Amino acid sequence: MSKLLVENEGAVRTLCLNRPESLNALDNELLTALGRAVADADKDKSVRCLILTGAGRGFSSGQDLADVAARYQSPEPIELGAHLREKYNPLIVRLRTIEKPVIAAVNGVAAGAGCSLALACDLRLAAESASFIEAFVNVGLVPDSGSTFMLPRLIGIARAMEMACTGRKVTAAEALQIGLVNQVVPDDQLAGATKKLADKLAGLPTRAIGLTKRAINAAWTSDLETQLDYEAMLQTTAGQTKDHREGVTAFLEKRSAKFTGE
Ligand code: LHQ
């Protein structure tokens, strides 16, 4: 059985982490497959929304600690940076820059780099039984895979510091209250609610959504004047899409727009 399940339904592609026995711990094979799958979805014009979820009772327990266990048998210094640069960092950048919406359907615990993966998605829908653990500190590490970037931006520095420094479990209900997730639904409704949202997003002007993502990414490290100018530049691009023309024409003709993503 593949460690990553890829399923297409219309313009929505679902990537399902499939190592339920370890709560979808990220070993090298799964990380490589996930990196390739996000890159493929990026290139594939027929995909207009991506869902990331996990099989079984976990979303992802983060780095597979068994996969790196050999390093801990040797007295040699342990070097983790290279692994992050090779496997995680390009994946996180790809999730943040792919110009289509990415939804994390968080079906269970999201811990360590598994939590970072969920944070790198654009929207998070969580099952009631889901939870978020910045587990790094529990194994003497710094939050990685973008957690130190995304977490304070999503929930503020005080809450981010508390999660990152204590490694405590944040329930789905608390995650909703602090703005870590967009929506919480009963466990048995997660797949349906995610699909409904994904179908809606996949039917919207994909280029405009991609450019919006670019703008919001840029805003994090920008100033107002630069951002205003960037918006004007992106709007020039959006204004030249077929979907923009269709949107305005449909409005004037008092009918529903039919967006194609072009
Ligand atoms: C696991 C894992 C796991 C392997 C559960 N690996 N098997 C780190 C190092 C190197 C380079 C770069 O980056 C990183 C970044 C990171 O991600 S560091 C953080 C790594 N993750 C963790 O430290 C989380 C470890 N897991 C846990 O704390 C718990 O399993 C959680 C809280 C996620 C879930 O607890 P429970 O619901 O009680 O489940 P469990 O602990 O019984 O786990 C179920 C099975 O999954 C169990 O296997 P077993 O054969 O005993 O049934 C675990 O050993 C296995 N598993 N996480 N990361």
Side-chain angles (χ1 to χ4, degrees):
M1 195 57 144
S2 173
K3 291 181 181 178
L4 182 72
L5 306 177
V6 181
E7 192 188 289
N8 293 310
E9 244 186 295
V12 177
R13 180 168 295 173
T14 300
L15 306 180
C16 180
L17 309 173
N18 188 34
R19 300 188 69 216
E21 67 287 353
S22 63
L23 307 176
N24 303 312
L26 303 162
D27 67 0
N28 269 343
E29 193 183 327
L30 177 54
L31 281 167
T32 303
L34 186 56
R36 284 206 189 114
V38 179
D40 286 349
D42 199 358
K43 277 180 266 165
D44 191 333
K45 281 208 162 87
S46 71
V47 178
R48 293 173 65 191
C49 182
L50 197 58
I51 297 171
L52 181 60
T53 193
R57 72 176 177 90
F59 175 74
S60 171
S61 56
Q63 169 65 39
D64 186 329
L65 297 175
D67 206 39
V68 290
R71 300 170 190 222
Y72 300 87
Q73 309 303 319
S74 151
E76 292 299 311
I78 296 163
E79 212 291 302
L80 300 177
H83 183 50
L84 286 172
R85 289 193 185 95
E86 186 193 344
K87 294 289 180 201
Y88 286 93
N89 297 1
L91 170 62
I92 298 299
V93 169
R94 186 76 80 165
L95 285 168
R96 289 301 324 132
T97 55
I98 179 175
E99 296 209 343
K100 29 197 117 187
V102 184
I103 305 172
V106 187
N107 53 301
V109 65
C115 186
S116 303
L117 265 188
L119 300 185
C121 297
D122 299 310
L123 299 165
R124 277 157 293 285
L125 260 59
E128 273 169 356
S129 68
S131 57
F132 297 82
I133 311 177
E134 287 285 327
F136 306 88
V137 69
N138 301 335
V139 289
L141 290 179
V142 173
D144 62 27
S145 309
S147 260
T148 62
F149 188 85
M150 297 301 299
L151 198 61
R153 283 168 170 79
L154 285 166
I155 62 172
I157 291 176
R159 287 187 171 116
M161 277 299 282
E162 198 254 334
M163 272 186 80
C165 296
T166 65
R168 84 172 166 88
K169 179 160 107 175
V170 168
T171 63
E174 185 183 351
L176 182 64
Q177 190 213 331
I178 64 179
L180 193 56
V181 300
N182 298 83
Q183 204 182 325
V184 177
V185 296
D187 289 12
D188 62 355
Q189 289 171 30
L190 181 66
T194 307
K195 187 67 188 11
K196 196 172 161 200
L197 176 63
D199 281 341
K200 181 175 171 51
L201 287 165
L204 291 172
T206 309
R207 296 284 315 283
I209 292 176
L211 296 169
T212 302
K213 190 163 165 175
R214 248 197 250 182
I216 289 179
N217 280 338
W220 284 341
T221 53
S222 192
D223 58 71
L224 178 61
E225 288 192 358
T226 310
Q227 191 65 16
L228 286 168
D229 194 54
Y230 193 48
E231 286 174 357
M233 195 194 86
L234 295 175
Q235 206 65 298
T236 296
T237 306
Q240 289 165 8
T241 62
K242 285 188 186 160
D243 280 344
H244 169 57
R245 198 174 280 272
E246 164 64 5
V248 174
T249 308
F251 176 79
L252 296 174
E253 292 174 356
K254 299 190 186 300
R255 61 171 174 82
S256 305
K258 281 202 179 74
F259 296 118
T260 60
E262 289 170 82

